[in-house]
């Protein structure tokens, strides 16, 4: 499967609703181990909500190594590469299970230090 | 209820100036307020004040009150020129209409107008030929600044929307943008999200802002991925040697090339201000992935 992103979304990939559109198209093929190509030619602007939904969500059902093998991303500019890589790293690390108790612990410890 | 007269002082963009804005908010933060804003003492007004006062007027109106900017009291020609040029005066009853200049137009977005906001950033903020910026850098900047708007519309719960104003500083190749909402504020949202953990009550507003700027934290439901927008923005500002200040409830965050500072402030308001200064010098700018090598795709 190949998707020309500009034809489906336009030149701005920045909102979650557009990310969800792409996710719906590629989720099933990827879970069936089919190769998917996303071509970003002509797309210039990127933000995290788009990639969180288009690709971050995939990590719930597809292993990171499989995603990197099956999903081909072409003609993505530097900003897009930065955002998508961060999204994958984030989603793969946490799988939605961020250790919020530890983060609260760390911040409370920091607060205590600052008040000394 | 008798009409309240609020005298707008000279307002720059230091923490003391923001405190002045929050004191004004506190004076009119109620229903059925009848407010007249008087400019007779105003000799200078930065875009943060313009965005804040415009939003405040809409907040008063949304609470079954009235807000009037008394243009007859505005005697300072520079302030009048600025407020006419950026369109603020035209929004609030003056007959002038905006024109191109160093001020970037005042803007109100009651709902999320994606292309309207992106065009505003691209055309009015960056695209007037006054900053030396390549298409690549332009797209990177507007994408990252969009995270501010996305954050406001996704998380603030502001019923009256989001208010923006900006400025270009000739000679410095710097752009300033203030984005204001009158929603619940980031600390309130974080505390509410963490309410199942009793220790979260001990988090100060500064602690909540620190939490919000951490990579991977989000107040969205567990099934929704998120938690990167503020982190990416923070990184972008630092790479660009720019400056980002966030005022939200009784918390203050400062992000710049020297690091990050989260602290508590005594004069607060219900809502959030993002105040960002970006340098548009292509020579300073380095894309993060250029520093770290290519990603494997």
């Amino acid at each position: 499967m190949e998707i020309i992103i500009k034809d489906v979304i336009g030149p701005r990939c920045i909102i979650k609703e557009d990310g969800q559109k792409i996710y719906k198209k590629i989720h099933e093929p990827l879970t069936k181990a089919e190769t998917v190509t996303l071509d970003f030619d002509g797309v210039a602007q990127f933000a995290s909500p788009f990639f969180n939904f288009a690709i971050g969500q995939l990590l719930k059902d597809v292993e990171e190594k499989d995603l990197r093998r099956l999903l081909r991303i072409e003609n993505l500019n530097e900003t897009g590469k930065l955002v998508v890589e961060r999204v994958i790293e984030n989603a793969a690390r946490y799988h939605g299970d961020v250790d919020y108790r530890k983060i609260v612990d760390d911040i409370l410890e920091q607060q205590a230090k600052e008040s000394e | 209820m008798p009409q309240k007269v609020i005298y707008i002082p000279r307002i720059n963009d230091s923490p003391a100036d923001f405190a002045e804005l929050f004191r004004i908010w506190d004076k009119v933060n109620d229903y059925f307020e009848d407010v007249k804003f008087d400019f007779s003492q105003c000799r200078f007004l930065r875009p943060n004040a313009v965005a804040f006062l415009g939003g405040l007027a809409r907040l008063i109106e949304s609470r079954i009150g009235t807000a009037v900017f008394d243009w007859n009291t505005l005697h300072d020609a520079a302030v009048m020129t600025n407020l006419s040029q950026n369109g603020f005066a035209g929004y609030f009853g003056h007959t002038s209409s905006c024109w191109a200049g160093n001020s970037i137009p005042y803007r109100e977005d009651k709902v999320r107008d994606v292309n309207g906001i992106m065009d505003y950033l691209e055309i009015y903020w960056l695209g007037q030929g006054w900053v030396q910026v390549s298409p690549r850098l332009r797209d990177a900047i507007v994408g990252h600044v969009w995270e501010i708007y996305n954050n406001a519309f996704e998380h603030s719960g502001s019923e009256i929307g989001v208010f923006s104003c900006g400025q270009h500083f000739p000679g410095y190749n710097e752009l300033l943008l203030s984005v204001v909402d009158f929603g619940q504020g980031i600390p309130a949202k974080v505390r509410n999200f963490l309410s199942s953990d009793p220790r979260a009550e001990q988090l100060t507003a500064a602690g909540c802002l620190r939490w919000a700027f951490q990579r991977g934290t989000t107040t969205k439901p567990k099934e929704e991925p998120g938690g990167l927008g503020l982190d990416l923005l923070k990184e972008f500002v630092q790479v660009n040697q720019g400056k980002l200040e966030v005022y939200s409830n009784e918390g203050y965050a400062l992000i710049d090339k020297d690091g990050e500072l989260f602290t508590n402030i005594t004069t607060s308001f219900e809502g959030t201000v993002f105040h960002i200064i970006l340098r548009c010098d292509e020579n300073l700018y380095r894309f993060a992935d250029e520093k770290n090598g290519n990603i494997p795709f």
Side-chain angles (χ1 to χ4, degrees), chain A residues 5-115:
Chain A
I5 298 292
K6 190 179 177 189
D7 292 349
V8 181
I9 305 299
R12 291 169 171 156
C13 288
I14 59 172
I15 60 173
K16 65 180 185 180
E17 291 86 348
D18 287 341
Q20 186 69 11
K21 279 186 203 166
I22 300 302
Y23 171 79
K24 281 187 174 176
K25 288 179 185 292
I26 66 177
H27 175 255
E28 191 176 332
L30 287 169
T31 54
K32 290 179 179 170
E34 294 172 19
T35 303
V36 171
T37 300
L38 301 181
D39 187 341
F40 285 90
D41 187 34
V43 181
Q45 294 163 353
F46 299 93
S48 64
F50 172 82
F51 281 124
N52 274 331
F53 276 73
I55 292 177
Q57 289 188 95
L58 295 167
L59 274 300
K60 283 187 286 189
D61 301 314
V62 183
E63 290 288 326
E64 183 184 353
K65 64 177 172 43
D66 293 331
L67 184 67
R68 289 187 184 277
R69 181 171 52 86
L70 296 169
L71 183 64
R72 296 188 57 81
I73 294 185
E74 295 180 349
N75 298 312
L76 189 61
N77 72 19
E78 292 94 326
T79 303
K81 283 180 189 169
L82 168 68
V83 179
V84 74
E85 183 60 22
R86 195 62 59 75
V87 161
I88 290 174
E89 182 189 312
N90 190 53
R93 181 185 299 167
Y94 297 122
H95 291 287
D97 287 324
V98 181
D99 189 351
Y100 285 123
R101 291 189 65 83
K102 173 153 188 347
I103 294 173
V104 170
D105 277 342
D106 292 345
I107 293 175
L108 287 174
E109 192 181 324
Q110 180 95 18
Q111 277 183 198
K113 278 183 194 164
E114 287 170 355
S115 64

Side-chain angles (χ1 to χ4, degrees), chain B residues 47-79:
Chain B
N48 50 301
V50 175
F52 192 92
L53 291 172
L56 187 58
R58 299 305 183 209
L59 182 68
I60 293 165
E61 290 168 354
S62 75
R63 293 171 169 178
I64 325 172
T66 60
V68 173
F69 291 92
D70 187 352
W71 301 112
N72 293 324
T73 62
L74 180 44
H75 307 302
D76 188 285
V79 173

Side-chain angles (χ1 to χ4, degrees), chain B residues 13-297:
Chain B
D13 61 359
S14 72
D17 294 297
F18 277 97
E20 189 63 52
L21 287 171
F22 303 154
R23 276 192 286 274
I24 292 173
W25 169 83
D26 192 48
K27 285 178 188 166
V28 300
N29 181 32
D30 204 350
Y31 279 78
F32 309 110
E33 293 283 6
D34 181 14
V35 178
K36 183 175 85 169
F37 291 101
D38 183 302
F39 289 100
S40 58
Q41 298 171 7
C42 183
R43 300 285 177 272
F44 188 80
L45 215 51
R46 272 268 196 246
N48 50 301
V50 175
F52 192 92
L53 291 172
L56 187 58
R58 299 305 183 209
L59 182 68
I60 293 165
E61 290 168 354
S62 75
R63 293 171 169 178
I64 325 172
T66 60
V68 173
F69 291 92
D70 187 352
W71 301 112
N72 293 324
T73 62
L74 180 44
H75 307 302
D76 188 285
V79 173
M80 187 69 239
T81 300
N82 185 39
L83 293 179
S84 298
Q85 186 197 330
N86 66 24
F88 181 89
Y91 263 96
F92 292 98
H94 195 268
T95 53
S96 63
S97 52
C98 64
W99 68 90
N102 290 333
S103 295
I104 292 133
Y106 168 76
R107 181 179 173 89
E108 300 182 351
D109 287 282
K110 190 166 171 57
V111 295
R112 191 189 66 171
D113 172 6
V114 177
N115 285 322
I117 292 168
M118 292 297 275
D119 288 345
Y120 169 73
L121 295 175
E122 200 176 319
I123 298 166
Y124 291 104
W125 197 49
L126 280 165
Q128 303 210 33
W130 51 30
V131 289
Q132 299 304 310
V133 57
S134 66
R136 181 177 80 160
L137 178 53
R138 179 200 64 205
D139 291 332
I141 289 174
V142 297
H144 283 95
V145 173
W146 167 254
E147 302 279 2
I148 295 175
Y149 286 92
N150 188 72
N151 198 67
F153 283 108
E154 281 268 311
H155 298 293
S156 77
S158 174
E159 292 180 0
I160 56 168
V162 174
F163 304 86
S164 323
C165 195
Q167 193 169 355
H168 165 240
F169 298 105
Y172 291 96
N173 231 18
E174 284 184 353
L175 289 170
L176 178 154
L177 182 72
S178 265
V179 181
V180 183
D181 75 64
F182 289 86
Q184 60 186 311
I186 295 170
K189 184 88 192 265
V190 169
R191 287 194 189 105
N192 186 45
F193 176 77
L194 297 172
S195 58
S196 63
D197 181 348
R199 297 165 315 138
E201 289 175 15
Q202 300 167 43
L203 287 176
T204 63
C208 291
L209 287 180
R210 190 187 295 277
W211 185 95
F213 272 92
Q214 285 221 359
R215 185 176 301 175
T217 55
T218 178
T219 57
K220 290 199 285 191
K222 190 177 172 183
E223 59 276 13
E224 276 195 38
L228 288 175
L230 294 183
D231 179 58
L232 284 164
L233 181 66
K234 177 173 78 175
E235 183 178 86
F236 180 76
V237 167
Q238 290 178 324
V239 165
N240 273 276
Q241 301 185 20
K243 180 176 167 186
L244 172 67
E245 291 172 284
V246 181
Y247 294 85
S248 194
N249 302 148
E250 65 280 21
Y252 169 71
L254 168 64
I255 312 289
D256 63 15
K257 63 182 170 53
D258 297 324
E260 54 191 62
L261 167 76
F262 299 94
T263 187
N264 297 303
I265 53 177
T266 51
T267 311
S268 66
F269 88 113
E270 208 171 294
T272 301
V273 179
F274 277 83
H275 189 63
I276 187 168
I277 296 175
L278 290 178
R279 303 178 72 178
C280 297
D281 185 341
E282 202 84 28
N283 295 320
L284 280 175
Y285 191 79
R286 294 288 183 274
F287 288 93
D289 58 348
E290 290 174 341
K291 287 191 307 185
N292 300 328
N294 291 326
I295 62 166
F297 262 116

